[in-house]
């Protein structure tokens, strides 16, 4: 992928993010700083960065080092990428029927596998603890609606 194509892809992602900002519901309370301010600032900043990168790539100042000799993918790259994507898909598909912690654990294990960690009990324990702590902090302490930790507990 050339730097110009990458810049266009980044701008397309920024366009999707900007569109998603329009579907955030307005706050029911009258607040000076609503729930849209931070996402708008982040998307605006990323769009500016993508535009600057695109301008630099169009002028030929960005190089694609992945096309040079010796920059081939390592063996197993496809498996690692599929593991990473599969973890995200598994989380999205399983979070409604299984709650947050089990799909979060599976997703974490797939991400760890993408970085060559073994798929074993240690990964299960660590990813389960991380998913549980994230659920507790966001769902219980901060009140974010993540659903139940495990469907049979709520």
């Amino acid at each position: 992928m050339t730097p110009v194509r990458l810049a266009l892809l980044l701008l397309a992602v920024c366009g999707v993010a900007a569109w998603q900002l329009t579907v955030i519901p307005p706050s029911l309370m009258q607040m000076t700083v609503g729930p849209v301010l931070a996402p708008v600032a982040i998307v605006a900043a990323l769009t500016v960065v993508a535009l600057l990168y695109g301008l630099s790539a169009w002028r030929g100042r960005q190089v694609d080092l992945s096309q040079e000799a010796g920059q081939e993918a390592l063996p197993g790259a496809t498996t690692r990428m599929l593991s990473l994507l599969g973890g995200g898909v598994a989380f999205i598909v399983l979070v409604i029927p299984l709650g947050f912690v089990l799909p979060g654990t599976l997703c974490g294990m797939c991400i760890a596998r993408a970085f060559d960690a073994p798929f074993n009990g240690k990964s299960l324990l660590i990813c389960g603890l991380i998913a549980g702590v994230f659920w507790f902090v966001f769902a219980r302490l901060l009140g974010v609606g993540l659903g139940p930790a495990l469907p049979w507990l709520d």
Side-chain angles (χ1 to χ4, degrees):
M1 176 175 292
T2 66
V4 173
R5 287 184 183 168
L6 178 62
L8 292 173
L9 179 64
L10 290 173
L11 286 171
V13 169
C14 288
V16 170
W19 166 64
Q20 285 295 298
L21 290 174
T22 64
V23 297
I24 296 176
S27 175
L28 298 176
M29 300 182 299
Q30 295 297 326
M31 297 186 294
T32 305
V33 177
V36 180
L37 180 65
V40 165
I42 292 168
V43 170
L46 291 175
T47 303
V48 167
V49 170
L51 284 169
L52 291 174
Y53 176 77
L55 182 62
S56 178
W58 184 61
R59 290 181 177 173
R61 294 183 181 157
Q62 299 297 328
V63 294
D64 187 4
L65 295 178
S66 68
Q67 302 299 323
E68 290 184 3
Q71 295 297 319
E72 297 82 22
L74 295 174
T78 304
T79 304
R80 285 193 296 276
M81 180 58 76
L82 290 175
S83 177
L84 184 67
L85 293 174
V89 170
F91 180 79
I92 292 168
V93 169
L94 297 174
V95 74
I96 299 290
L98 296 180
F100 184 85
V101 174
L102 291 177
T105 301
L106 179 62
C107 179
M109 290 177 70
C110 288
I111 291 170
R113 180 69 190 110
F115 289 95
D116 292 331
F119 211 71
N120 59 17
K122 183 179 176 183
S123 290
L124 177 71
L125 179 65
I126 291 170
C127 293
L129 285 172
I130 291 170
V133 167
F134 268 75
W135 179 84
F136 179 76
V137 168
F138 284 96
R140 291 292 184 228
L141 296 180
L142 298 175
V144 177
L146 296 180
L150 299 168
W152 54 84
L153 294 180
D154 254 358

